[in-house]
Structure formats: structure tokens, C-alpha cells
Amino acid sequence: MSTTKTTSIEVIRGDITKVHVDAIVNAANTSLLGGGGVDGAIHRAAGPVLLEECRTIRNRQGGCAVGDAVLTSAGNLPARFVIHAVGPVWNGGNSCESELLARTYLKSLEIANDNGLRSIAFPNISTGTYQFPKARAVDIVLSTVTEFLRESRRISRIVFVCLDEENYQLYRKRIPM
């Protein structure tokens, strides 16, 4: 899917720690100190420098709020940077989860844009352990990205990296290949 003449949107099934882009997005928790799933995999692959930078941010600002994001270097990853974005835990849809998920993706895109980054890869934020409904998340994400790209043309490549087949198929149905 090409939203503008200069931005390509791709969907792949695989490991986000292997993707060659300017920044990968980490589905972080509020502590920024690593965890399970994508967060743990990114921290393990990046090495100790990532944890140290996250500790510095945590000590400075007390972590990262849901719907917000912060930037670090990428340590041993092929990406140059990691954007740590904290998505919402699904609580039945009555706790502003949809708005918080949209804000999480928007904040990540803004950080990439503000730092002159041209390519970014996203995992499926909040759809694993945080149990956000996958189909609903895909709709929110694609709407948020499309709206962002109407205002900004700096980012030239967006990659959605799906670890599981269900998310991959949901994106494939919505993004022409």
C-alpha cells in the first residue's frame, strides 16, 4: 500500500529484531526495563546498552506513560534506534484503550519524524499479553498511520512486523500487496 508517492507500507511475518530500518518500535511496559514477548526479545538482542539507556530515562522521568514513547539507541540491533512505546492493556474497551493505542502509534511516528528518521518498523502493540482485540487494533493502527502521513512526508517506509499468523493475515487483508 502506498499512502503517498514517497511512503511505502509493508507487512511481513518475522522477527522485528532482524529488520533493517532506522527505528524499530518496542512494545514496552511503563518501567522501560524489559519484560516478556517483543519487549524481552528486543532487550536481549540489543544487549546491555539498551537497558542502561532505559534506566537513565526511567531515573530522569519515572518511566513512560501508557500512550507515550521514548527514543534510545539500538545497541546490537540492525536498526539505528529503538522507540519504546507503551500501549494499553485491554479492559473491555471502556477505559479509552482505542484512543491510547492510537496515541501510542502516533507518538512513535512523531518521534521518528522529529528525529529525521526515514523508516520505522512496528510490532503488534498491545495485541499479545495486553489482549487488545487484534482486528480492532489493525483498524486503529492503519487509520492513525494514514492520518499521520497526510501531514508528514518525511517517513518513506513503514513496516508492520507480525510475529503471529493471525495479525499477519489481518494486515494483509487491509494492505494490498
Side-chain angles (χ1 to χ4, degrees):
M1 171 176 166
S2 185
T3 306
T4 69
K5 290 180 182 174
T6 59
T7 303
S8 71
I9 297 179
E10 306 165 34
V11 140
I12 62 172
R13 181 134 189 254
D15 180 351
I16 198 165
T17 67
K18 309 270 190 239
V19 178
H20 292 264
V21 288
D22 290 336
I24 63 169
V25 177
N26 177 19
N29 59 48
T30 58
S31 78
L32 297 175
L33 300 182
V38 171
D39 191 13
I42 288 172
H43 272 268
R44 284 188 299 278
V49 67
L50 189 67
L51 182 58
E52 284 308 311
E53 287 186 45
C54 286
R55 277 193 181 124
T56 300
I57 292 168
R58 183 176 170 206
N59 291 341
R60 183 178 63 237
Q61 68 185 43
C64 187
V66 175
D68 203 358
V70 296
L71 182 73
T72 66
S73 69
N76 298 327
L77 297 166
R80 293 178 23 218
F81 298 97
V82 175
I83 298 170
H84 304 268
V86 183
V89 174
W90 182 255
N91 289 308
N94 298 317
S95 300
C96 300
E97 295 99 312
S98 294
E99 294 84 359
L100 288 167
L101 185 65
R103 191 177 332 155
T104 301
Y105 279 83
L106 180 60
K107 183 67 176 181
S108 298
L109 290 163
E110 289 171 345
I111 287 172
N113 194 62
D114 292 349
N115 285 280
L117 307 181
R118 307 273 302 151
S119 57
I120 185 171
F122 287 98
N124 305 117
I125 298 172
S126 289
T127 64
T129 304
Y130 288 5
Q131 299 182 345
F132 203 103
K134 293 176 182 181
R136 187 170 184 171
V138 170
D139 289 340
I140 291 165
V141 169
L142 293 179
S143 173
T144 302
V145 167
T146 300
E147 185 64 29
F148 177 82
L149 292 175
R150 285 190 185 113
E151 303 298 320
S152 173
R153 305 252 193 287
R154 187 174 290 168
I155 297 173
S156 61
R157 181 176 175 228
I158 297 173
V159 183
F160 295 106
V161 183
C162 302
L163 190 59
D164 67 282
E165 185 66 20
E166 183 181 358
N167 269 316
Y168 178 71
Q169 291 303 326
L170 287 166
Y171 274 96
R172 292 255 343 220
K173 288 178 185 170
R174 290 167 176 81
I175 299 174
M177 302 305 271

